[in-house]
Amino acid sequence: MFSILQEYFSYAFVVRALYVGIFVALCSALLGVSLVLKRYSMIGDGLSHVGFGTLAIAMALNLAPLQVSIPLVLLAAFLLLRVSENSKIKGDAAIALISSSSLALGGIIIAVSTGMGADVCNYMFGAILAMRISDVYLSIGAAAVVLILYLIFYNRIFTVTFDESFAKATGTKVGYYNMLIAFLTALVIVVGMRMMGAMLISGLIIFPALTSMRILKSFKSVVITSAVLAVICFFLGMVLSLIISTPKGGNIPPGASIVAVNLGAFCLFLIIGALKKWNAGRKLRQDLKEAAK
Amino acid sequence: MNILSCRELYIKYDAKAVVKNVSFDLKDGDYLSIIGENGSGKTTLMKSILGLIKPVAGHIEFQGIKQIEIGYLPQQTSIQKDFPASVLEVVLSGCLNRHGFLPFYSSRDKKRAQENLENLGIDQLKRKAYCDLSGGQQQRVLLARALCATEKVLMLDEPVTGLDPAASEELYTLLNKLNSEGIAIIMISHDVKSAVKYGSKILHLKTEPLFFGLASEYGKTDVGSKMLRGETHV
């Protein structure tokens, strides 16, 4: 098995995918903690579907995908936040609306222009081969932006996530930070989408945060563990997608195997968390018994 | 000395007037309870004092403090029920308003948070998870956070809601102690009896003020005695 892996890792496209994936996984895990806690988990899902629609447009018009996707998905992120704050259509409904509309629009554009083919499947579920050297630079750039901003604003992000009213009352511009998180999320989604697939990139955002919250109880530990977990799960998932070949001679899409590994980690943490709780309860009952004696 | 004066406040919310003709002064060391039925504009008034809602007319003036230096204890949100945060992280976040653009907490902030933890008797809880605490302990943590943000005024939005009688009593005692140490308190309350017992001033609101004055005078008025006998529901 190791020799197969060694062979794979000698290919430039695999190494590129590894770089892109690690940076994207790291960033999405960091942003995911805030998104999950603020009940914005579906924003990632909505934005990735918008991303699919924009890719279809780019394909049809023969334009570079990222140049079309980045501004449009950023715009969608802005609209989603505005809409969910102000309008009569509430947050989750607004996201469902935008997300299915852009998926439908993307489907129509593809059918009319290039026709449904292997390309579409790649966009939906991810393709390792799609990573170019420009993607590596872009993902490093995006990761640097996310990491630096996250570090600088870490305490403010915590305060805004934990208690918006208090943050506002003590002079933090809450709207700006919500917007910042949405924009960074949009950026990460566009960069990671072609590797993970539009259907599955949101898994990368929500899973690490949800998994680490099963066991850990402080914000800092959840943030750090999410980042570490995301990178480990990404790596394992990618290795699985490389070495397992399907009966038809293909490979499992990387997006799918990465999300599957994340699901495995989530279940593991869920069980550990439940055991910990049970153990604490047992100890408490024992203590009470002894106190009663 | 006045630290806050409100003049002829007129506040709208969703195109409806919710607060009208409210004028009052808050002096150093005052303990003001704002009472009134649901929908009488209490929370709206508090939010506009905090600068979260802009009044349509009238003005709010602070002396000796800035608007962002008010210690605020909002109602708890559903998000906080399963939020992974240690007590220390929550309390420290109260120091954020004195920071400007500094990204991290200074050692002075940490000292301040530590002092407030000790002052409120929750120092032993500081490594615990906020969501694992009891309701009364959580309110103390939020109080410690509010105290990190202020030296002069605390604003509390129904702090005893959801607490059992013993925990409410403890919270009232704690507030009295802070008040006697020189911190002015503005509190929205449903508990008229405690408001009269512990507070120094009462503002009874029903869009317009029905009563504003000393707590000891409140029981002598018509509206006040009815409230205290429980004939009108708050």
Side-chain angles (χ1 to χ4, degrees), chain A residues 37-39 151-152 154-156 158-159 161-163 165-166 168-172 213 216-220 222, chain B residues 52 68 72 74 78-80 82-86 89-90 93-94 96-97 99-100 103-105 129-130 145 149:
Chain A
L37 286 168
K38 286 174 84 74
R39 311 289 188 259
L151 264 179
I152 293 177
Y154 171 79
N155 287 316
R156 281 167 208 278
F158 168 79
T159 311
T161 314
F162 182 73
D163 193 339
S165 319
F166 181 84
K168 252 189 217 162
T170 47
T172 302
M213 276 162 63
L216 295 147
K217 296 282 181 187
S218 84
F219 192 71
K220 200 195 246 167
V222 166
Chain B
L52 305 181
I68 61 164
Y72 178 39
S78 60
I79 287 182
Q80 290 163 2
D82 61 348
F83 199 103
S86 74
E89 283 176 321
V90 175
S93 72
L96 216 52
N97 63 341
H99 259 241
F104 301 110
Y105 296 121
Y130 174 80
R145 176 183 66 169

Side-chain angles (χ1 to χ4, degrees), chain B residues 11-84:
Chain B
I11 311 165
K12 273 183 173 177
Y13 193 74
D14 279 346
K16 222 177 76 191
V18 271
V19 175
K20 273 200 294 200
N21 297 328
V22 172
S23 302
F24 69 89
D25 293 317
L26 193 77
K27 291 193 172 56
D28 240 349
D30 269 353
Y31 186 151
L32 171 69
S33 305
I34 304 176
I35 57 177
E37 292 163 39
N38 283 335
S40 58
K42 297 171 303 211
T43 300
T44 309
L45 174 63
M46 184 168 273
K47 285 197 168 157
S48 74
I49 295 174
L50 287 162
L52 305 181
I53 299 177
K54 236 184 145 70
V56 183
H59 61 264
I60 302 168
E61 212 177 289
F62 294 92
Q63 276 124 34
I65 55 162
K66 287 190 210 130
Q67 192 162 40
I68 61 164
E69 287 173 356
I70 299 174
Y72 178 39
L73 200 145
Q75 294 186 29
Q76 296 209 32
T77 62
S78 60
I79 287 182
Q80 290 163 2
K81 288 207 179 90
D82 61 348
F83 199 103

Side-chain angles (χ1 to χ4, degrees), chain B residues 28-233:
Chain B
D28 240 349
D30 269 353
Y31 186 151
L32 171 69
S33 305
I34 304 176
I35 57 177
E37 292 163 39
N38 283 335
S40 58
K42 297 171 303 211
T43 300
T44 309
L45 174 63
M46 184 168 273
K47 285 197 168 157
S48 74
I49 295 174
L50 287 162
L52 305 181
I53 299 177
K54 236 184 145 70
V56 183
H59 61 264
I60 302 168
E61 212 177 289
F62 294 92
Q63 276 124 34
I65 55 162
K66 287 190 210 130
Q67 192 162 40
I68 61 164
E69 287 173 356
I70 299 174
Y72 178 39
L73 200 145
Q75 294 186 29
Q76 296 209 32
T77 62
S78 60
I79 287 182
Q80 290 163 2
K81 288 207 179 90
D82 61 348
F83 199 103
S86 74
V87 167
L88 190 61
E89 283 176 321
V90 175
V91 174
L92 262 175
S93 72
C95 297
L96 216 52
N97 63 341
R98 49 191 71 233
H99 259 241
F101 286 103
L102 268 183
F104 301 110
Y105 296 121
S106 61
S107 55
R108 225 177 61 220
D109 295 332
K110 286 175 188 154
K111 203 171 140 239
R112 195 177 167 82
Q114 181 62 33
E115 280 165 9
N116 283 317
L117 283 165
E118 282 165 20
N119 195 14
L120 300 189
I122 45 172
D123 185 37
Q124 75 286 359
L125 299 177
K126 73 179 168 192
R127 309 255 164 241
K128 290 239 155 120
Y130 174 80
C131 57
D132 288 343
L133 304 181
S134 72
Q137 287 170 330
Q138 287 184 340
Q139 287 301 50
R140 280 182 187 230
V141 173
L142 297 186
L143 200 56
R145 176 183 66 169
L147 286 173
C148 282
T150 192
E151 264 146 23
K152 291 204 170 126
V153 193
L154 270 180
M155 287 195 139
L156 309 99
D157 195 347
E158 300 192 5
V160 297
T161 305
L163 297 188
D164 59 56
S168 319
E169 198 64 26
E170 266 176 36
L171 192 68
Y172 279 123
T173 317
L174 203 57
L175 289 175
N176 263 37
K177 181 183 149 221
L178 294 171
N179 186 233
S180 66
E181 286 166 6
I183 289 177
I185 289 175
I186 303 179
M187 171 160 86
I188 292 177
S189 178
H190 266 188
D191 181 358
V192 184
K193 291 201 172 86
S194 303
V196 172
K197 185 173 158 199
Y198 294 105
S200 62
K201 283 183 181 170
I202 302 272
L203 173 63
H204 185 161
L205 206 60
K206 191 177 182 181
T207 309
E208 296 184 66
L210 299 181
F211 175 87
F212 174 69
L214 293 175
S216 52
E217 303 280 314
Y218 182 62
K220 295 173 195 162
T221 61
D222 219 22
V223 52
S225 62
K226 263 190 199 160
M227 286 291 266
L228 284 170
R229 272 182 277 128
E231 281 172 27
T232 13
H233 288 285

Side-chain angles (χ1 to χ4, degrees), chain A residues 54-64 68 72 109 113-114:
Chain A
T54 60
L55 281 184
I57 296 175
M59 256 202 310
L61 300 177
N62 242 337
L63 293 169
V68 180
L72 284 178
I109 293 175
S113 59
T114 54

Side-chain angles (χ1 to χ4, degrees), chain A residues 189-225:
Chain A
I189 281 175
V190 174
V191 175
M193 193 170 57
R194 280 174 310 145
M195 190 186 64
M196 283 295 291
M199 296 290 128
L200 296 168
I201 178 85
S202 70
L204 219 53
I205 293 176
I206 57 155
F207 262 119
L210 283 173
T211 304
S212 37
M213 276 162 63
R214 291 316 101 198
I215 296 186
L216 295 147
K217 296 282 181 187
S218 84
F219 192 71
K220 200 195 246 167
S221 63
V222 166
V223 167
I224 294 172
T225 314

